């Protein structure tokens, strides 16, 4: 069963300072929630207020990778690609996720303006770690 995006809170992710790029620290109780919060955080960096985005576009994403960190990079890279190519930013994510495969249905719409253009989602110090509350990672974006 997938997870639908709920309300955003600063407990789910935070923007952190990085020398040349943008980075976010993301938290989730499980892998699906971590991936959803990562997508939400990146979308907020790109488009600002997500509630202002329409929900008139739906896309399906199917990805495979050799580890969960690579799957996270592939997932965010796919969403960043649509933002750059079509100014399409998504704010609802229905995810079906295993350690090595992701199937998602995303909904969103065209952003009037992109505040940040993400050139790449990097592997810089990327590690998904277990915490007392669930999972956490820091994602660095080349902007």
């Amino acid at each position: 069963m997938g997870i639908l995006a709920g309300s955003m809170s600063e407990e789910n992710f935070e923007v952190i300072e990085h020398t040349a790029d943008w980075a976010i620290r993301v938290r989730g109780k499980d892998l699906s929630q971590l991936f959803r919060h990562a997508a939400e955080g990146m979308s907020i960096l790109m488009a600002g207020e997500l509630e202002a985005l329409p929900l008139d576009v739906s896309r399906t994403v199917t990805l495979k990778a050799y580890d969960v960190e690579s799957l996270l990079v592939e997932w965010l890279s796919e969403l960043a690609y649509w933002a750059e190519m079509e100014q399409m930013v998504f704010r609802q994510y229905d995810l079906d996720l295993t350690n090595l495969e992701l199937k998602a249905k995303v909904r969103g719409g065209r952003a009037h303006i992109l505040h940040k253009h993400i050139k790449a989602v990097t592997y810089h110090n990327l590690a998904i770690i277990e915490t007392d509350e669930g999972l956490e990672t820091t994602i660095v974006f080349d902007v």
Side-chain angles (χ1 to χ4, degrees):
M1 181 174 186
I3 295 176
L4 289 176
S7 63
M8 282 300 302
S9 89
E10 291 184 20
E11 297 172 3
N12 298 331
F13 78 93
E14 64 184 291
V15 177
I16 57 174
E17 299 214 15
H18 191 265
T19 55
D21 302 313
W22 279 79
I24 58 173
R25 183 170 296 123
V26 183
R27 296 170 197 85
K29 65 178 179 170
D30 57 28
L31 210 51
S32 290
Q33 192 176 69
L34 183 80
F35 274 54
R36 180 170 47 89
H37 291 166
E40 290 169 343
M42 184 180 77
S43 292
I44 288 171
L45 281 179
M46 292 187 298
E49 186 67 33
L50 293 186
E51 286 74 23
L53 290 171
L55 288 172
D56 56 357
V57 175
S58 180
R59 300 264 170 94
T60 301
V61 180
T62 302
L63 300 167
K64 292 182 181 182
Y66 62 91
D67 63 24
V68 291
E69 286 84 4
S70 296
L71 190 60
L72 179 59
V73 169
E74 292 294 322
W75 162 240
L76 296 176
S77 296
E78 184 78 14
L79 299 176
Y81 172 80
W82 284 332
E84 281 301 309
M85 296 306 293
E86 302 175 23
Q87 252 180 292
M88 198 66 56
V89 180
F90 299 97
R91 65 180 175 113
Q92 288 186 349
Y93 316 90
D94 185 9
L95 302 175
D96 183 15
L97 183 64
T98 66
N99 281 348
L100 302 176
E101 186 172 348
L102 175 141
K103 293 179 184 175
K105 184 168 188 171
V106 297
R107 290 186 62 212
R110 193 169 307 280
H112 295 293
I113 187 168
L114 292 180
H115 301 286
K116 291 286 178 197
H117 293 268
I118 294 177
K119 296 180 205 170
V121 181
T122 74
Y123 286 90
H124 180 75
N125 292 332
L126 182 63
I128 296 173
I129 59 168
E130 289 189 41
T131 67
D132 292 339
E133 292 79 33
L135 300 171
E136 180 178 295
T137 192
T138 299
I139 304 158
V140 178
F141 302 103
D142 181 12
V143 294

